[in-house]
Amino acid sequence: MNAAAAVRSLADRVSGAVLLPGDDGFDARCAGFQTAYRHRPSVLVRPDGPDDVAAAVAYAAEHALPVAAQATGHGLSAPLDGGVLIDTGTLTGVTVDAAAGTARIAAGTRAGAVVDAAARYGLAPLNGSSTGVGAVGYLLGGGLGLLGRRFGWAADHVRAVEIVTADARHRRVTADSDPELFWALRGAGANFGVVTVVETGLVRVSRIYGGELVFDLAATPGLLERYLRWTEDLPEELTSSMSLLAYPDLPAFPAKLRGRYVGHVRVAHTGDHREGERLVAPLRAAGPLLADTVAEMPYTECGAIYNDPPVPHAYLGDNVLLRAIDPAEAAAITELAGPGAPVPCVVDVRHLGGALGREPEVPAAVGHRSAGYLLRALVPLMGAAPDDARAAMRRVLDAAGQRVGGRCQNLVYGEDAPGAGTADFWEPDDHRRLAELKARLDPANLFRCNRNIAPAAPA
């Protein structure tokens, strides 16, 4: 069968759409939120359901073609060149079981839809900073959430995963049905198939004390060091981060931020708002504020805490997981991200620990739980050459020395990021275990996800 006939045969088996380069809608559906990279498949499948996904996987396996899945493309870093792209953005929907405290989430559903659906029952998912990302991809990567110190990694709360594996079977995987694959899916899931549905636990949170404090760093020198000291004795109910950004003096930015080197402290507290106010008071006293949005809010407004940009753009980013950041390292990081940096760089320090450091009752493949902090560097590629952007990231990340030896895969953007590769997302023994499972379930390495694990070589 020639290539054209093979594609026609696939189209006959798929109730959704099968598109080829040049077809209407092909380029638009290959594009994602991350515009620095772009999938360039030979075939694009927009499935109506799991049977269509299975047909696409069977076609890829028959013709020895790699497979990738994309919902929103926020974390795209390893674009598919040729092969089959499955656009899971067509599979949307959330069903909440209030009595069980769970949500059934289709693969293309955005986090904001899950937040809204859960809120009707006084519940919340363990989503991240942006409500525009795909909820399922975030969960498969571990899920470092707004409430992480209180409830742990989002992947730890997953109850079941429905997935099409390399044999084109649609499986429902739980801790009872397949404990080894269930462990792997919660932290490395995209390596083992195309996930169509995730069922996850929700938490009983309807309101939080959250928002951001914004400082002009020229008026509050040493703010990062002060933030780090503040985090040392915080209860688990408070999850926070601090970002550093030198804003260009351009009309595109708010007048109060233009031309300033700014520190944003983001806060989410799940306890009583009066206790949250007491805990945040020392930071409020750190210096004059450009903005203060920290207040009691319904959880449905949680996206305003980080206010991540909603417009697709090009960026590179990477991170390191740290035991601690000492004052000298904090000063060096602040200097490297400042107005004198040759390439503008957004630096983000996230406070970990608490429940993020504990193993769940049902183990999950999330690595490096002993980290106390995450240091991330992100470089927008507006006017910056990729090599210069990578060098800027490397300088920031190299300023921190107290590493636990790994990175968080949710916050890596760009296939050529410093320390590129996937092994350090997991502990060495866990990576070997994942590679052995990959060799059993996908020996041909059919699924080429952004965080690809190569199948282990035969013993």
Side-chain angles (χ1 to χ4, degrees):
M1 184 183 297
N2 62 33
V7 172
R8 286 196 298 272
S9 175
L10 172 62
D12 289 340
R13 287 179 282 158
V14 169
S15 59
V18 175
L19 303 178
L20 300 176
D23 288 345
D24 287 344
F26 180 89
D27 289 340
R29 298 314 308 172
C30 289
F33 187 89
Q34 157 68 291
T35 62
Y37 298 100
R38 181 189 186 89
H39 291 303
R40 300 189 183 281
S42 55
V43 179
L44 170 68
V45 176
R46 306 195 68 207
D48 279 346
D51 289 345
D52 285 358
V53 174
V57 170
Y59 168 85
E62 180 182 354
H63 298 279
L65 297 171
V67 177
Q70 174 169 279
T72 66
H74 275 73
L76 174 62
S77 60
L80 185 71
D81 188 8
V84 179
L85 176 64
I86 300 176
D87 176 13
T88 58
T90 59
L91 306 176
T92 59
V94 187
T95 304
V96 173
D97 184 334
T102 61
R104 178 180 170 85
I105 308 168
T109 308
R110 294 177 185 259
V114 186
V115 170
D116 291 341
R120 300 187 189 106
Y121 306 95
L123 300 168
L126 296 176
N127 57 288
S129 62
S130 171
T131 55
V133 303
V136 167
Y138 160 84
L139 284 167
L140 297 178
L144 179 57
L146 290 174
L147 310 180
R149 282 176 42 79
R150 173 65 181 86
F151 296 107
W153 294 89
D156 294 346
H157 295 256
V158 170
R159 309 283 183 85
V161 178
E162 297 182 13
I163 183 172
V164 176
T165 46
D167 55 5
R169 286 179 52 202
H170 189 238
R171 310 183 187 198
R172 177 179 169 84
V173 181
T174 67
D176 294 328
S177 71
D178 191 335
E180 185 71 357
L181 181 55
F182 188 63
W183 167 79
L185 291 175
R186 294 151 61 239
N191 278 279
F192 300 97
V194 179
V195 171
T196 59
V197 171
V198 166
E199 292 180 13
T200 188
L202 304 171
V203 296
R204 192 153 292 284
V205 171
S206 59
R207 301 186 70 82
I208 58 172
Y209 183 74
E212 70 171 352
L213 304 174
V214 183
F215 299 86
D216 183 344
L217 295 177
T220 50
L223 184 65
L224 178 56
E225 298 98 301
R226 183 160 183 167
Y227 165 76
L228 293 166
R229 289 197 304 272
W230 174 71
T231 63
E232 291 174 356
D233 299 315
L234 291 176
E236 294 182 2
E237 288 77 13
L238 199 155
T239 304
S240 68
S241 71
M242 179 176 173
S243 70
L244 309 172
L245 173 58
Y247 283 88
D249 189 6
L250 296 173
F253 298 99
K256 64 184 176 183
L257 302 179
R258 290 177 203 159
R260 297 180 188 266
Y261 187 23
V262 173
H264 295 259
V265 178
R266 280 73 178 248
V267 170
H269 180 257
T270 59
D272 182 83
H273 73 276
R274 289 163 294 191
E275 176 63 6
E277 187 171 6
R278 184 190 70 78
L279 291 168
V280 173
L283 273 186
R284 278 200 168 103
L289 287 161
L290 296 174
D292 179 353
T293 67
V294 182
E296 188 180 19
M297 64 170 67
Y299 194 74
T300 50
E301 295 179 8
C302 66
I305 295 175
Y306 280 75
N307 198 27
D308 285 345
V311 179
H313 57 286
Y315 46 91
L316 297 178
D318 204 355
N319 67 85
V320 291
L321 292 165
L322 307 169
R323 290 186 296 275
I325 303 173
D326 66 31
E329 292 168 345
I333 291 165
T334 301
E335 178 67 22
L336 286 166
V343 176
C345 186
V346 182
V347 171
D348 187 24
V349 175
R350 302 199 179 195
H351 185 206
L352 307 180
L356 292 165
R358 293 194 287 271
E359 293 289 339
E361 184 177 341
V362 179
V366 176
H368 310 296
R369 294 174 185 260
S370 64
Y373 296 89
L374 178 146
L375 171 64
R376 180 185 71 160
L378 185 148
V379 182
L381 292 178
M382 297 176 292
D387 286 346
D388 294 337
R390 285 189 283 270
M393 287 192 297
R394 189 172 296 112
R395 283 191 292 270
V396 171
L397 300 180
D398 286 349
Q402 302 182 57
R403 305 189 181 198
V404 299
R407 298 179 293 160
C408 172
Q409 59 178 302
N410 280 140
L411 299 173
V412 174
Y413 320 111
E415 60 180 335
D416 294 320
T422 65
D424 63 349
F425 294 142
W426 302 280
E427 308 288 351
D429 287 347
D430 285 348
H431 184 257
R432 283 192 289 272
R433 182 177 168 188
L434 290 165
E436 290 168 359
L437 184 62
K438 177 82 167 178
R440 292 202 300 273
L441 295 181
D442 183 19
N445 199 18
L446 193 68
F447 301 108
R448 310 284 177 86
C449 71
N450 292 334
R451 319 295 180 232
N452 190 242
I453 298 170

